[in-house]
């Protein structure tokens, strides 16, 4: 419970302010008294009693009694949501600055931080094959108007993110989605309050947290996002000229407004927060509609699924590696699901280069990392992204057990046929993994991920409708193969779902979902199915010429 200052008894000696280890005691705007920030005050948990109360000679500092009743008041501003209006997705800024900032907030100390020439911790990322560069540094205090970076002399590399939370990446993405509603985000400010964050992050449904605990968490996450500073050295790309942006905040915290409500005893209770934030100068070059049309800037955006925020908020403790992968894949897969990636890269994203090095050098460490990775990959699968294993480098004998178990059909007859075929197969489902699985896994690749509907949704650009001449569409492109026809044709050729999936280069779950009508089939897969199953498209009806 936080402390409070009774300014009627206070002598303005400022002793309490000087001894507070958290800096929670602030001077009032008029200078006539003090107030305690309850989001910073921790009651000096490591001391026998709060230091402010111990050193106050006039007993003006006392424990703030909890507020009775709900924290709903007319003093709070209305919380009208501006994003996720369809309840599923919303556009968000997806430039390289936002991507790398998200990686920093998600991976934290796993990022390669190094001291720069000024003795401050920095992280650098080359772009466009080394022709450009991004440099990130951390601010010691996001409320400080001066750019004061966190120096390497005062902190160790492993202590940089001691107070950081992976959930700050969700706040970062919310801000990236919020600025897409602005016309010129590098000039306009956005005001977002705690009620918005509670709705977007699902904190309004957390009954185990008090109002003050939710406010403290939201303020901490917002401040973590505002501690990132970036320097951009971008080369010429196409018609867009090169540009150099000096160090500036990714998100500039302009003001934090506190909403108070006085109880019957005259004590003020914090009931709300609002933050005034402005995007950095990077938005003028990467989220500029006007100059994008003139080929002088970029306008890079993607679709942010609201379900991703819910997944991060619910699984950030149990499956931190899976959360890191999802946040990274949000940007990696925004142009499509067919992106080849190595397992070694995924391991570095999920657990950091140091842990991967430990697994390859310390005896027995690879077993723990392998088990964790397959569990996190399963969490990604249950979220809705199905990994596509490369048939050559990631064969079924080294694939996770859960992936092979998911291939068991739900139907009793098909399950019986599955186990009968599995018993005669050279690789049985119950066989133990090969001894060289870890070495082979480091060289394995994924061909991509099968995306869910929300991840497949893209925001189409508005364009002027032009009259075009209709082109005849071939019969193969228009005739969609019914699911029952696919199933009957497969059974006629005495092919199991697994055998058909191997010929198609798909998973058995994909074949099962297609036959049940859950998934649609694109044109390339239709042509491949017709070739393998010997399906002839129906000839279009033509009228005979009358003679």
């Amino acid at each position: 419970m936080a402390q409070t200052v009774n300014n009627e008894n206070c002598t303005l000696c400022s002793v309490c302010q000087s001894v507070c280890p958290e800096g929670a005691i602030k001077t009032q705007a008029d200078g006539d008294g003090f107030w305690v920030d309850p989001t910073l005050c921790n009651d000096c948990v490591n001391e026998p009693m709060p230091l402010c109360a111990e050193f106050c000679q006039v007993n003006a500092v006392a424990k703030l009694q909890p507020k009775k009743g709900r924290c709903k008041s007319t003093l709070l501003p209305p919380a009208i949501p501006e994003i996720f209006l369809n309840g599923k997705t919303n556009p968000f800024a997806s430039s390289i600055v936002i991507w790398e900032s998200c990686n920093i907030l998600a991976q934290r100390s796993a990022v390669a931080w190094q001291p720069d020439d000024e003795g401050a911790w920095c992280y650098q990322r080359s772009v466009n094959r080394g022709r450009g560069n991004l440099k990130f540094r951390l601010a010691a205090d996001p409320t400080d108007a001066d750019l004061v970076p966190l120096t390497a002399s005062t902190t160790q590399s492993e202590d940089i993110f001691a107070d950081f939370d992976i959930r700050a990446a969700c706040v970062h993405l919310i801000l990236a989605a919020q600025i897409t509603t602005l016309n010129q985000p590098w000039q306009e400010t956005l005001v977002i309050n705690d009620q918005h964050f509670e709705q977007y992050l699902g904190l309004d449904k957390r009954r185990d947290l008090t109002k003050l605990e939710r406010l403290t968490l939201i303020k901490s996450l917002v401040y973590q996002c505002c501690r990132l500073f970036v320097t951009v050295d971008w080369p010429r790309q196409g018609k867009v000229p090169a540009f150099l942006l000096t160090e500036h905040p990714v998100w500039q915290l302009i003001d934090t407004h506190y909403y108070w409500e006085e109880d019957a005893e005259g004590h003020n209770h914090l009931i709300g927060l609002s933050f005034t934030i402005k995007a950095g100068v990077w938005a003028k070059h990467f989220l500029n509609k006007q100059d994008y049309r003139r080929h002088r800037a970029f306008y890079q955006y993607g679709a942010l699924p609201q379900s991703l925020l819910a997944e991060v908020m619910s699984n950030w403790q149990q499956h931190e590696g899976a959360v890191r992968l999802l946040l990274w894949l949000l940007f990696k897969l925004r142009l499509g699901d067919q992106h080849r990636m190595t397992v070694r890269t995924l391991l570095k994203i999920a657990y950091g280069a140091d842990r991967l090095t430990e697994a390859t050098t310390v005896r027995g460490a690879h077993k723990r990392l392998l088990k964790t990775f397959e569990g996190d990959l399963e969490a990604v699968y249950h979220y809705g992204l199905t990994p596509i294993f490369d048939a050559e480098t990631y064969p079924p004998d080294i694939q996770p057990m859960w992936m092979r178990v998911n291939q068991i059909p739900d139907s009793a007859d098909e399950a019986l046929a599955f186990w009968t075929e599995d018993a005669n197969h050279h690789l049985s489902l119950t066989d133990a993994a090969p001894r060289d699985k870890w070495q082979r896994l480091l060289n394995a690749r994924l061909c991509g991920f099968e995306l869910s509907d929300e991840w497949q949704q893209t925001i189409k650009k508005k364009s002027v409708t032009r009259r075009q001449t209709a082109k005849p569409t071939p019969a193969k492109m228009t005739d969609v193969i019914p699911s029952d026809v696919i199933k009957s044709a497969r059974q006629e050729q005495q092919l199991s779902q697994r055998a058909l999936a191997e010929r198609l280069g798909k998973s058995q779950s994909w074949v099962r979902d297609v036959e049940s009508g859950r998934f649609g089939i694109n044109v390339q897969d239709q042509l491949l199915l017709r070739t393998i199953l010997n399906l002839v498209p129906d000839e279009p009806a033509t009228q005979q010429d009358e003679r």
Side-chain angles (χ1 to χ4, degrees):
M1 184 60 63
Q3 302 292 310
T4 183
V5 178
N6 186 356
N7 288 305
E8 294 181 358
N9 301 332
C10 182
T11 60
L12 301 180
C13 65
S14 71
V15 173
C16 60
Q17 190 177 27
S18 61
V19 299
C20 180
E22 302 296 330
I25 301 180
K26 312 289 185 180
T27 305
Q28 291 186 354
D30 55 3
D32 188 18
F34 301 95
W35 62 280
V36 179
D37 187 348
T39 63
L40 297 177
C41 180
N42 62 356
D43 268 352
C44 298
V45 292
N46 297 324
E47 301 293 336
M49 67 177 298
L51 296 179
C52 55
E54 180 181 356
F55 285 89
C56 183
Q57 301 296 326
V58 295
N59 297 326
V61 180
K63 186 179 293 293
L64 179 63
Q65 299 301 319
K67 183 180 182 298
K68 298 180 180 180
R70 298 185 177 182
C71 295
K72 292 186 177 180
S73 173
T74 56
L75 300 176
L76 294 174
I80 302 175
E82 298 181 1
I83 58 177
F84 300 117
L85 299 181
N86 61 358
K88 294 183 179 180
T89 60
N90 197 87
F92 79 109
S94 60
S95 65
I96 186 65
V97 176
I98 296 296
W99 187 0
E100 286 302 322
S101 300
C102 185
N103 288 338
I104 291 174
L105 295 172
Q107 301 174 28
R108 305 187 301 283
S109 59
V111 177
W113 292 95
Q114 298 292 335
D116 60 4
D117 297 336
E118 300 178 5
W121 290 111
C122 74
Y123 162 68
Q124 299 194 50
R125 158 75 189 273
S126 61
V127 294
N128 289 344
R129 299 180 180 180
R131 295 188 299 145
N133 182 66
L134 298 179
K135 179 181 179 181
F136 291 88
R137 297 203 296 182
L138 287 175
D141 184 6
T143 61
D144 192 352
D146 299 328
L147 302 181
V148 181
L150 197 64
T151 59
S153 59
T154 57
T155 56
Q156 300 295 327
S157 59
E158 61 270 10
D159 298 332
I160 298 177
F161 290 95
D163 299 330
F164 272 61
D165 194 316
I166 193 174
R167 292 173 290 182
C170 293
V171 174
H172 173 70
L173 294 176
I174 291 174
L175 297 177
Q178 196 79 31
I179 62 172
T180 59
T181 62
L182 305 178
N183 189 28
Q184 294 181 337
W186 60 93
Q187 293 182 347
E188 305 175 49
T189 60
L190 60 92
V191 179
I192 182 169
N193 57 45
D194 62 286
Q195 300 176 76
H196 289 116
F197 286 116
E198 287 185 3
Q199 294 177 15
Y200 301 147
L201 300 177
L203 293 176
D204 53 345
K205 301 177 183 178
R206 292 283 302 272
R207 302 305 177 190
D208 58 322
L209 298 177
T210 64
K211 182 64 177 180
L212 180 57
E213 290 173 339
R214 292 199 296 268
L215 292 175
T216 303
L217 174 61
I218 291 173
K219 179 186 174 184
S220 175
L221 299 181
V222 172
Y223 276 35
Q224 291 171 31
C225 296
C226 297
R227 290 182 61 182
L228 285 176
F229 292 84
V230 63
T231 303
V232 181
D233 182 9
W234 199 265
R236 179 181 180 87
Q237 189 171 356
K239 296 182 179 180
V240 179
F243 55 88
L244 175 63
L245 304 180
T246 58
E247 189 173 52
H248 62 280
V250 178
W251 305 110
Q252 182 182 359
L253 181 64
I254 299 177
D255 179 56
T256 302
H257 187 75
Y258 295 77
Y259 293 91
W260 305 91
E261 188 174 52
E262 187 176 352
D263 60 10
E265 298 179 357
H267 298 302
N268 287 325
H269 297 269
L270 184 64
I271 60 174
L273 292 169
S274 67
F275 308 93
T276 303
I277 300 174
K278 185 172 70 172
V281 188
W282 61 267
K284 186 176 181 180
H285 297 269
F286 292 100
L287 199 68
N288 191 333
K289 289 183 179 180
Q290 294 79 12
D291 287 350
Y292 169 72
R293 299 187 182 98
R294 303 184 185 99
H295 304 287
R296 293 187 301 189
F298 302 98
Y299 189 72
Q300 299 174 344
Y301 66 97
L304 173 63
Q306 190 174 12
S307 62
L308 175 61
L309 304 180
E311 181 71 15
V312 174
M313 295 298 293
S314 60
N315 276 340
W316 67 279
Q317 289 179 306
Q318 295 85 353
H319 295 283
E320 183 177 355
V323 168
R324 289 180 176 181
L325 289 176
L326 287 174
L327 292 172
W328 182 75
L329 291 172
L330 173 67
F331 296 88
K332 183 69 174 180
L333 301 179
R334 69 184 182 90
L335 299 179
D337 55 351
Q338 299 297 328
H339 284 277
R340 299 177 69 88
M341 57 197 75
T342 63
V343 173
R344 187 185 294 269
T345 300
L346 297 180
L347 290 172
K348 290 182 180 180
I349 295 297
Y351 313 108
D354 293 341
R355 190 172 177 185
L356 179 59
T357 303
E358 178 186 359
T360 55
T361 56
V362 179
R363 181 180 180 89
H366 70 280
K367 297 181 180 179
R368 296 188 296 269
L369 185 60
L370 177 59
K371 182 178 179 180
T372 304
F373 172 70
E374 293 186 343
D376 290 334
L377 199 61
E378 183 179 9
V380 173
Y381 169 78
H382 286 301
Y383 168 72
L385 303 185
T386 304
I388 304 175
F389 299 98
D390 181 62
E392 181 179 354
T393 61
Y394 212 151
D397 60 330
I398 63 173
Q399 292 178 10
M401 175 63 71
W402 58 264
M403 191 63 188
R404 290 184 283 172
V405 171
N406 290 332
Q407 297 177 359
I408 302 176
D410 297 331
S411 173
D413 295 336
E414 294 182 356
L416 178 61
F418 173 86
W419 286 112
T420 303
E421 181 184 357
D422 183 78
N424 299 323
H425 203 267
H426 69 281
L427 176 63
S428 177
L429 186 64
T430 57
D431 289 346
R435 297 178 61 88
D436 60 343
K437 178 178 179 178
W438 172 252
Q439 289 76 14
R440 295 170 60 187
L441 191 66
L442 293 177
N443 299 320
R445 294 189 300 269
L446 291 179
C447 298
F449 287 83
E450 295 178 8
L451 306 181
S452 60
D453 295 337
E454 291 184 0
W455 283 58
Q456 289 179 350
Q457 181 178 357
T458 56
I459 311 300
K460 297 182 179 180
K461 300 179 181 179
K462 295 183 179 180
S463 58
V464 180
T465 304
R466 298 181 179 179
R467 183 178 299 178
Q468 296 180 353
T469 305
K471 298 181 179 180
T473 306
K476 292 184 180 180
M477 301 297 181
T478 58
D479 294 340
V480 180
I481 310 175
S483 57
D484 55 343
V485 173
I486 297 176
K487 183 176 182 180
S488 60
R490 175 181 62 81
Q491 293 175 348
E492 288 179 0
Q493 296 194 18
Q494 297 182 356
L495 291 175
S496 63
Q497 290 183 345
R498 176 190 290 186
L500 180 59
E502 292 178 353
R503 296 189 181 185
L504 293 171
K506 302 284 186 179
S507 62
Q508 184 177 353
S509 60
W510 184 89
V511 177
R512 182 177 68 245
D513 292 335
V514 166
E515 291 184 352
S516 62
R518 288 184 56 195
F519 281 178
I521 316 174
N522 57 33
V523 177
Q524 296 179 352
D525 291 337
Q526 287 188 49
L527 295 176
L528 191 58
L529 277 170
R530 292 185 186 278
T531 302
I532 296 176
L533 299 178
N534 296 327
L535 295 175
V536 181
D538 298 334
E539 294 293 336
T542 57
Q543 295 181 353
Q544 296 181 354
D545 296 337
E546 295 182 359
R547 297 185 179 181

